[in-house]
Amino acid sequence: MRKKTRLIRTTALAQRLFVCAVAVAIAPLAFGQSSSGSRPDERVVRERVDALLKQMTLEEKIGQLSQLFDFGEVKKIDEAVVGGHVGSLLFVTDPAEINRFQHLAVDKTRVHIPLIFGFDVIHGFRTIFPVPIAMAASWDPATVTTAQSIAAKEARAVGIGWAFAPMLDIARDPRWGRIVEGAGEDPYLGSAIAAAQVRGFQGDYIGSPDHILACMKHFAGYGAAEGGRDYDASYIPASQMYNVYLPPFHAAVKAGIGSAMSAYMDLNDVPATGNHWLLHDVLRDQWNFTGFVVSDANSVKSLEKHHYAKDLSDAAVRAFNAGVNMEMAIDFTAYSRNLAAAVQNGQITVQQIEAADRPILEMKVRLGLFEHPYVDEARSQRILASPEHRTAARIAAERSAVLLRNEGGLLPLKKSAYTNIAVIGPLADSQLDTLGSWAFQQDLKETVTILSGLRDKLGPQAKLTYASGVQIYRKFRSFFDDIFKLKPAVPWTAEQAKAEMSKAVNLASSSDLTILVLGEAQNMSGEAASRESLDLPGRQEQLLEAVAATRKPIVLVLLNGRPLNIKWAAQHIPAILEVWYPGTQGGNAVANLLFGDAVPGGKLPITWPRDVGQIPINYAHNTTQSPEEQGKRYWDEESTPLYPFGYGGKHRDVPSGRSRPALRTSAVWQRFASGARAQGF
Ligand code: BGC
């Protein structure tokens, strides 16, 4: 201990000289490694980190273990950066600001270690792809890899080196809002999509040009929250943990993922962020993970609130000893305030601090941040504007849409057959709701709503009318509403509500086709967006039934991140197309799908219940007693799903004279389907 302390106390001048000497000596070795497109030499990476660690003070070492949000308190963050108290920032997305912060870290600190900027690049950065559950519905790893590599390229162009994705939580309870962020209920599909995302974000190796570090989250068991209530505890038996919840994470580790995020909730009574079994025994000992673990936002400090730690210092030590390398926090980290004292009083050792630093510094080296800490702002604008990215987003939306019903072959629609179309529903012309949650950097102006996509498709000769019909909003505000600066909804008066509903129904009855766009607003799905019901929010069900009563042809297009109760629609509405939240190009994709210029390529990655009372319901379950009675487990409703896992049809025909778009059936689907058949599904 004492020897270490003495080593650390070299004089300031000697330290500075040593830093410069090391920088000069090793820079040429590493220079251009990532930009030249060759895999970093691991021996060089290790030696470089050894050299850095040798000259860092304990305070500087602890600084690398802290990550802070940039929520606008710039002065405070500047001080933390210059003081060497922070190794990473998140939520900085402006390349000029990233360069400014990076200059502070590189020019104004003693050891010149660049920051790594993290961000929630979940389903795109500027070009927003369909939400993750939709991407999983494509059953197509190639489409998923393409999407995440475009997201990585855009993020990297502005200086972001680290995505807090993929989210790999298996979710079997659609009340849980974050089901939209994952690949659904199945560990096999979840694992294939996990590996595809890692490839997309990181490329062939960490440090591949135009790629970024990925972070698998939320480790682990978050999707099993009791009652589907976000952040509530999970209780998962070992057999389910190993067979269901862990496989996608293991797949990501095997695919070479460089970081992991610990989850918020208690797993079997031990908070995931203080869970040595998860973060050490499983992750490092069983799986040989060599990357680093970051906590979820404030989840180290929360150990106190979970009554797992007696105070912040105890929380810091418990998380650290469990295996959390870096603490993500708003304002300040428990690590920055407590780990030095924990070293002094022998609760943890300097060697442990160095071991925690090592994978973080290695990632910074591999990513080439020491050689290329700054971004070219002009180049970033060119990359963000790329038209190829928008095309890829449209194709992804087409491949992830699921045709739930097509009675009488109403779809695809023939342009010539309908000249007066009513588009109805509160989501049909809302840009934000076309994108879904976790979209912050999009350009709303370029987001194509379903109404505008249809307008473009049909041109001026068709009459297209629009009415929202009803209003939808949350009973309790979401904290994301503040981030988006959304004003609280002003509910319509009873008279207004009646007038709007009548307007919509009148439009439907005077048109020759109605396209109803219903579902959930983007803030109704995602983090802190759990529900106790799966009904269409607001008076959408009444709107649906009133429009259906006009007896005109109707297509129902669903925008949502979870299965909803559409029992009535499934019997009465001839065509139902699930498009999830389809992203930047959503409207163009939907127009192509409805008019036969694209085939809905998706199949459900989750079982679709008839209503909320059936939860949990998933295909892979033990049949146990009387399996032949499986569909009659309830006396008041069938206990089978409305639509089973893997369900998804396709357009029967493409109007004559047009080339038929190829229906892609992915290899993952084929392997799954043959395995499922072999098991008697
Ligand atoms: C979420 C994470 C996210 C983090 C940073 C947390 O609230 O649970 O998924 O990556 O915030 O935005």
Side-chain angles (χ1 to χ4, degrees):
M1 263 301 291
R2 220 190 256 149
K3 205 166 160 208
K4 274 265 167 289
T5 324
R6 226 177 307 128
L7 266 181
I8 289 159
R9 279 201 218 114
T10 44
T11 66
L13 178 63
Q15 280 171 341
R16 219 170 306 135
L17 290 174
F18 185 61
V19 173
C20 296
V22 169
V24 170
I26 63 180
L29 285 176
F31 184 80
Q33 274 171 341
S34 81
S35 58
S36 71
S38 57
R39 192 182 283 272
D41 178 335
E42 283 306 312
R43 190 182 51 83
V44 173
V45 173
R46 231 181 1 262
E47 286 172 3
R48 184 157 198 181
V49 171
D50 287 341
L52 281 168
L53 285 170
K54 273 202 192 103
Q55 27 116 4
M56 288 164 75
T57 64
L58 178 62
E59 207 188 12
E60 285 160 351
K61 287 173 189 161
I62 292 172
Q64 289 300 310
L65 309 181
S66 282
Q67 182 188 51
L68 290 178
F69 276 85
D70 173 21
F71 277 156
E73 289 192 58
V74 173
K75 192 161 166 276
K76 220 165 100 183
I77 298 176
D78 282 2
E79 282 166 15
V81 174
V82 173
H85 303 307
V86 62
S88 175
L89 295 177
L90 76 156
F91 267 76
V92 198
T93 51
D94 171 13
E97 190 61 0
I98 284 183
N99 279 342
R100 194 187 67 78
F101 277 129
Q102 197 65 296
H103 269 292
L104 293 182
V106 173
D107 304 340
K108 298 275 161 75
T109 64
R110 202 186 60 88
V111 274
H112 314 293
I113 299 177
L115 296 161
I116 177 166
F117 293 88
F119 192 59
D120 289 289
V121 185
I122 308 297
H123 53 115
F125 183 71
R126 164 74 167 272
T127 308
I128 304 298
F129 284 80
V131 287
I133 197 156
M135 295 301 293
S138 75
W139 285 76
D140 188 1
T143 299
V144 172
T145 300
T146 302
Q148 298 303 36
S149 65
I150 288 174
K153 186 170 184 177
E154 292 186 356
R156 185 78 200 232
V158 305
I160 288 164
W162 182 19
F164 302 123
M167 188 195 98
L168 305 181
D169 296 305
I170 294 290
R172 297 178 156 191
D173 186 338
R175 292 172 299 180
W176 189 54
R178 301 196 81 169
I179 194 169
V180 64
E181 293 177 54
E185 74 181 39
D186 184 58
Y188 175 76
L189 177 62
S191 299
I193 300 295
Q197 295 197 71
V198 177
R199 280 195 297 279
F201 282 122
Q202 295 188 166
D204 292 340
Y205 53 86
I206 295 170
S208 296
D210 290 332
H211 286 79
I212 58 182
L213 183 65
C215 179
M216 59 181 194
K217 70 186 189 184
H218 307 82
F219 199 60
Y222 186 31
E226 280 184 310
R229 292 179 298 270
D230 204 5
Y231 312 132
D232 272 0
S234 297
Y235 287 92
I236 307 176
S239 63
Q240 270 202 359
M241 201 67 202
Y242 278 106
N243 290 325
V244 177
Y245 291 93
L246 289 178
F249 290 99
H250 197 186
V253 171
K254 286 192 238 168
I257 199 156
S259 72
M261 185 186 290
S262 66
Y264 276 134
M265 78 307 146
D266 284 4
L267 172 68
N268 300 331
D269 292 330
V270 179
T273 296
N275 200 313
H276 190 269
W277 174 75
L278 267 179
L279 303 179
H280 188 272
D281 300 357
V282 174
L283 193 56
R284 301 219 181 255
D285 282 357
Q286 294 173 21
W287 296 351
N288 299 320
F289 173 70
T290 53
F292 68 92
V293 175
V294 64
S295 74
D296 203 340
N298 281 349
S299 69
V300 172
K301 290 190 252 177
S302 294
L303 293 182
E304 196 187 350
K305 294 193 182 136
H306 287 228
H307 301 289
Y308 187 71
K310 65 177 189 296
D311 52 28
L312 277 193
S313 151
D314 192 29
V317 172
R318 280 174 185 267
F320 184 82
N321 278 332
V324 175
N325 302 65
M326 182 186 278
E327 179 185 353
M328 178 195 292
I330 300 169
D331 295 337
F332 70 93
T333 63
Y335 277 13
S336 61
R337 297 205 178 165
N338 297 288
L339 286 189
V343 171
Q344 309 305 337
N345 64 32
Q347 285 171 291
I348 56 177
T349 64
V350 175
Q351 286 90 332
Q352 278 179 286
I353 299 275
E354 289 181 354
D357 272 321
R358 181 172 286 283
I360 298 171
L361 294 172
E362 284 176 356
M363 294 306 167
K364 290 186 177 185
V365 174
R366 289 188 190 109
L367 287 167
L369 294 177
F370 286 84
E371 289 71 34
H372 304 288
Y374 311 113
V375 283
D376 175 342
E377 293 169 39
R379 178 179 180 267
S380 75
Q381 293 317 310
R382 285 196 301 279
I383 287 182
L384 296 185
S386 165
E388 293 85 47
H389 296 184
R390 311 300 188 270
T391 305
R394 178 183 50 72
I395 293 171
E398 292 163 358
R399 289 185 183 164
S400 54
V402 182
L403 186 61
L404 294 178
R405 193 163 196 250
N406 194 17
E407 203 55 32
L410 178 60
L411 294 178
L413 303 167
K414 293 189 181 53
K415 267 194 203 173
S416 55
Y418 305 104
T419 49
N420 182 0
I421 299 176
V423 179
I424 292 186
L427 304 172
D429 198 27
S430 159
Q431 271 124 342
L432 213 50
D433 297 317
T434 306
L435 299 173
S437 65
W438 293 111
F440 301 107
Q441 292 305 307
Q442 74 283 353
D443 181 349
L444 271 190
K445 288 192 299 300
E446 70 180 17
T447 300
V448 185
T449 66
I450 293 179
L451 182 64
S452 55
L454 287 168
R455 266 203 189 113
D456 289 350
K457 166 78 52 191
L458 297 173
Q461 59 279 18
K463 185 175 170 208
L464 211 61
T465 53
Y466 170 67
S468 64
V470 295
Q471 269 186 313
I472 55 172
Y473 44 84
R474 290 172 52 128
K475 176 169 180 177
F476 302 116
R477 207 171 148 73
S478 158
F479 64 80
F480 285 104
D481 294 350
D482 297 328
I483 298 179
F484 285 114
K485 300 192 175 54
L486 292 186
K487 292 200 191 84
V490 181
W492 287 339
T493 61
E495 293 73 44
Q496 272 175 312
K498 204 167 152 211
E500 294 292 339
M501 177 79 84
S502 309
K503 181 179 162 196
V505 176
N506 290 340
L507 283 187
S509 49
S510 57
S511 66
D512 41 39
L513 170 83
T514 297
I515 297 173
L516 261 172
V517 185
L518 305 179
E520 294 184 328
Q522 59 83 29
N523 66 356
M524 295 175 171
S525 192
E527 185 174 353
S530 293
R531 304 183 60 189
E532 59 86 36
S533 152
L534 296 180
D535 293 348
L536 286 163
R539 298 173 67 219
Q540 292 184 97
E541 184 73 33
Q542 282 147 277
L543 176 66
L544 172 82
E545 294 183 20
V547 169
T550 64
R551 300 196 163 272
K552 294 291 173 79
I554 298 178
V555 180
L556 172 61
V557 177
L558 289 171
L559 256 72
N560 49 287
R562 55 159 67 86
L564 295 170
N565 182 346
I566 53 162
K567 264 198 304 193
W568 192 90
Q571 280 187 3
H572 298 93
I573 305 295
I576 307 178
L577 184 66
E578 169 61 73
V579 300
W580 316 100
Y581 297 104
T584 303
Q585 278 286 310
N588 287 337
V590 170
N592 282 348
L593 290 164
L594 294 181
F595 285 90
D597 292 327
V599 172
K603 298 182 191 305
L604 292 178
I606 28 170
T607 302
W608 193 297
R610 293 168 193 277
D611 63 40
V612 76
Q614 288 183 300
I615 296 168
I617 180 167
N618 45 273
Y619 86 90
H621 66 109
N622 297 345
T623 45
T624 75
Q625 181 70 10
S626 304
E628 64 286 356
E629 297 285 298
Q630 191 62 58
K632 298 183 192 146
R633 293 288 198 240
Y634 305 121
W635 61 256
D636 58 345
E637 178 57 284
E638 286 171 55
S639 46
T640 50
L642 183 64
Y643 301 114
F645 175 81
Y647 183 84
K650 60 185 194 314
H651 274 168
R652 291 198 330 193
D653 286 306
V654 172
S656 56
R658 258 189 248 157
S659 63
R660 186 190 177 88
L663 177 76
R664 306 176 73 264
T665 305
S666 75
V668 171
W669 169 258
Q670 280 163 3
R671 271 207 308 279
F672 169 80
S674 54
R677 266 196 303 278
Q679 289 170 43
F681 287 105

